Amino acid sequence: MAYDLVVIGTGPGGYVCAIRAAQLGMKVAVVEKDKTFGGTCLNVGCIPSKALLYASHLFEDAGHAFAGMGIGVSKPKLDLAQMMKFKDEGVDGNVKGVDFLFRKNKIDAFRGKGRIAAPGKVEVATGNGKNETIETKAIVIATGSDVARLSGIEIDEKRVVSSTGALALPKVPERLLVVGAGVIGLELGSVWRRLGAKVEVVEFLDRILPGMDGEIARQFQRVQEKQGIKFRLGAKITGIDGKGKTLKASVEPANGGKAETLEADAVLVAIGRVPYTDGLGLAEAGVALDNRKRVVVDAHYQTNVAGIFAIGDVIAGPMLAHKAEDEGVAVAEILAGHAGHVNYDAIPNVIYTFPEVASVGKTEEELKAAGIQYRAGKFPFTANGRAKVNRTTEGFVKILADAETDRVYGVHIIGADAGTLIGEVTLAIEIGASAEDIARTCHAHPTTSEAVKEAALAVDGRPIHM
Ligand code: FAD
Ligand code: NAI
């Protein structure tokens, strides 16, 4: 049967693209090589990591914060197998949801590894050496990304793990060494620290969270250190000796120098992710990749080969589920003749630790580098009523707005609800609002969102509660 669209990969980019295209009246098929739909995000990414972050946070609160609120519980005992079951059930519910949505939208699903045989032809390896060929008007590559590896260090997913192994450790390691102070290192490092591991993070650069607003990153590092995570910045791991009972990692300064040995029971390698295009037939089809092996697309997500498009982690831009989803919607709308579009200036970024970190738009460093005159308004959660009463006063909201027009360029938040608060300011940036627009919007009391309003007032030097 001929399709209007075949999407290869059913992560947040692929499955959302397929649904939107079906809504627009197209005949759509998806191809997925893994047992379940949902890609990295639902199976081994966003969803399982958030389940463990939630459960481990409550575990820590039960041990430390409950008593102060008059909730008497005996010292919490960890049942790690049950916590993993809690996580797995959450994943299961989500991947089944995608299955349901495919059926609801009459999307055909082909199981097996997809390969582009030619424009308009996708070959699916359906097992036992058999192939099925699907004919289609358009192909969307949504094959996502894979773990980046360190040369000379083998990831066995038992003691030396990637995020996938770190989401399923059978026991809490006494000492966890994390390579890379990025989002995965800090989220999963937090999970295992809360459950009892001694966590040390080795980072190549002289700062954590590259790309994040510098002031936020510095404050976040202080908070993490207070919680017990150790950081070794400007350092690199050059090898891991796994012969003995404990792992012995060689660490040396990033620019070279005297090596040291760090012992650990598990090592998490979290140095980024790389686009996944293995066996997709891109070279044969003539699809161009950039120097980082990402599929190159134009403003309409079309590759250099007519009829072949790409979205999500496999193309340039932040490797985020919601970015992949929005590109999925955009390309489906473009294929249907509409004006699909993604505003890359308004893509929020959240780190789901405690407190959370969230940001959208430009950082101070970016504004300075671009020579843009801006005003910054800051408001700390220590002055927010709800945060005070909940005793979640760590952090602040920072709003950066144009010095003349007051248009909001960027918002950076560290605080308990940062991931939720970023929604309102993302909308502000999307619609081109000014800080004054946020300041004059009525915010419910008592909520942490009042800190956003106060930061907007602070842009003009008139916060009320500070
Ligand atoms: P993917 O989700 O990677 O999906 C690609 C799919 O394509 C997979 O199912 C794969 O099996 C399939 N596939 C690949 N090749 C073929 C082929 N040849 N034939 C058939 N199928 C194929 N992002 C957030 O926004 N928020 C978070 O909280 C967050 N947490 C994360 C936590 C972790 C531990 C990790 C690793 C990532 C996290 N991310 C998070 C990033 C997020 O998971 C990705 O940005 C997102 O999944 C990208 O979506 P995608 O559709 O491009 O690709
Ligand atoms: P990352 O790019 O966020 O961080 C990698 C870190 O490793 C960087 O700080 C980098 O400087 C460092 N590094 C690189 N090579 C190194 C080396 N040899 N030695 C020591 N440090 C080294 O990548 P991460 O954490 O692996 O996450 C991958 C992607 O997944 C991210 O791009 C992120 O967008 C996505 N993700 C998103 C989440 C969220 O939105 N909450 C959660 C988890 C992942």
Side-chain angles (χ1 to χ4, degrees):
M1 186 198 286
Y3 289 90
D4 295 313
L5 170 65
V6 170
V7 184
I8 308 177
T10 64
Y15 87 75
V16 168
C17 174
I19 292 171
R20 183 69 188 121
Q23 282 177 345
L24 290 164
M26 285 182 237
K27 176 87 191 126
V28 184
V30 292
V31 183
E32 176 54 60
K33 67 173 174 51
D34 285 354
K35 280 205 282 293
T36 48
F37 299 129
T40 304
C41 174
L42 273 62
N43 292 283
V44 290
C46 327
I47 295 297
S49 59
K50 266 76 259 181
L52 290 183
L53 279 157
Y54 177 65
S56 61
H57 177 58
L58 292 184
F59 177 75
E60 183 162 62
D61 262 7
H64 293 104
F66 280 17
M69 290 183 264
I71 307 168
V73 289
S74 49
K75 192 168 179 288
K77 238 181 84 200
L78 177 65
D79 179 346
L80 186 60
Q82 179 58 34
M83 196 178 277
M84 290 294 166
K85 189 161 172 262
F86 166 78
K87 172 209 68 177
D88 292 338
E89 285 171 0
V91 168
D92 192 50
N94 274 281
V95 298
K96 281 191 178 138
V98 176
D99 201 359
F100 162 79
L101 290 171
F102 282 161
R103 278 183 276 118
K104 182 180 168 217
N105 288 282
K106 302 195 171 35
I107 293 164
D108 292 339
F110 290 80
R111 302 285 187 157
K113 191 154 181 170
R115 193 180 73 88
I116 300 175
K121 268 199 183 74
V122 176
E123 209 169 76
V124 186
T126 48
N128 302 327
K130 292 204 184 103
N131 285 329
E132 193 166 351
T133 302
I134 327 172
E135 309 245 323
T136 177
K137 286 184 196 148
I139 297 169
V140 169
I141 301 166
T143 51
S145 62
D146 192 11
V147 172
R149 282 148 216 279
L150 269 170
S151 76
I153 293 176
E154 196 204 333
I155 294 176
D156 62 12
E157 296 297 11
K158 288 192 173 71
R159 292 202 298 169
V160 181
V161 295
S162 71
S163 53
T164 303
L167 288 166
L169 291 176
K171 87 183 227 279
V172 180
E174 215 173 290
R175 293 154 302 180
L176 173 67
L177 182 65
V178 177
V179 189
V183 197
I184 292 181
L186 293 167
E187 284 191 353
L188 296 181
S190 288
V191 165
W192 292 106
R193 180 200 58 72
R194 292 166 185 169
L195 300 182
K198 287 196 186 77
V199 177
E200 179 157 4
V201 182
V202 175
E203 164 62 46
F204 189 81
L205 301 176
D206 59 0
R207 58 164 292 174
I208 68 167
L209 297 173
M212 188 67 82
D213 187 271
E215 187 182 13
I216 293 273
R218 282 191 298 277
Q219 165 96 355
F220 186 60
Q221 185 179 337
R222 277 196 293 274
V223 173
Q224 292 300 312
E225 281 169 342
K226 227 166 77 190
Q227 292 178 2
I229 292 190
K230 273 173 73 179
F231 290 92
R232 197 179 277 250
L233 304 182
K236 62 182 178 197
I237 302 276
T238 51
I240 297 174
D241 175 357
K243 286 196 286 288
K245 236 177 135 204
T246 57
L247 298 165
K248 292 191 174 62
S250 313
V251 188
E252 55 181 64
N255 309 325
K258 201 168 154 276
E260 265 183 81
T261 303
L262 291 180
E263 294 204 15
D265 303 285
V267 175
L268 163 60
V269 178
I271 57 160
R273 294 181 63 84
V274 289
Y276 181 79
T277 53
D278 287 1
L280 202 55
L282 295 189
E284 297 85 333
V287 174
L289 304 181
D290 68 13
N291 58 356
R292 290 166 64 184
K293 301 220 163 109
R294 299 174 296 195
V295 177
V296 179
V297 292
D298 63 16
H300 289 154
Y301 303 99
Q302 184 153 230
T303 67
N304 58 317
V305 179
I308 303 180
F309 299 76
I311 56 168
D313 279 12
V314 82
I315 67 169
M319 287 183 165
L320 294 171
H322 40 281
K323 175 258 192 190
E325 288 186 38
D326 284 7
E327 288 175 346
V329 169
V331 77
E333 293 182 347
I334 289 165
L335 286 169
H338 299 263
H341 165 77
V342 175
N343 178 1
Y344 291 97
D345 288 331
I347 296 186
N349 200 335
V350 180
I351 306 173
Y352 298 84
T353 43
F354 192 87
E356 291 180 341
V357 176
S359 65
V360 62
K362 299 270 182 276
T363 62
E364 285 208 60
E365 291 79 8
E366 284 170 336
L367 291 175
K368 280 180 188 144
I372 294 171
Q373 298 299 309
Y374 64 94
R375 293 194 297 173
K378 252 174 79 174
F379 191 81
F381 284 106
T382 43
N384 172 268
R386 186 66 179 277
K388 258 180 166 155
V389 78
N390 285 356
R391 300 197 189 170
T392 53
T393 49
E394 241 153 3
F396 58 87
V397 179
K398 176 163 81 174
I399 298 184
L400 308 171
D402 189 275
E404 213 171 295
T405 66
D406 198 35
R407 185 180 177 143
V408 178
Y409 284 132
V411 181
H412 307 278
I413 308 176
I414 175 166
D417 297 332
T420 305
L421 298 178
I422 207 72
E424 116 171 55
V425 286
T426 302
L427 178 65
I429 291 183
E430 180 67 40
I431 63 176
S434 61
E436 188 69 16
D437 288 325
I438 301 173
R440 292 203 174 267
T441 301
C442 188
H443 285 67
H445 177 76
T447 62
T448 46
S449 76
E450 289 169 287
V452 175
K453 174 180 174 152
E454 292 272 12
L457 283 164
V459 169
D460 191 40
R462 52 180 226 270
I464 300 292
H465 293 89
M466 197 172 68

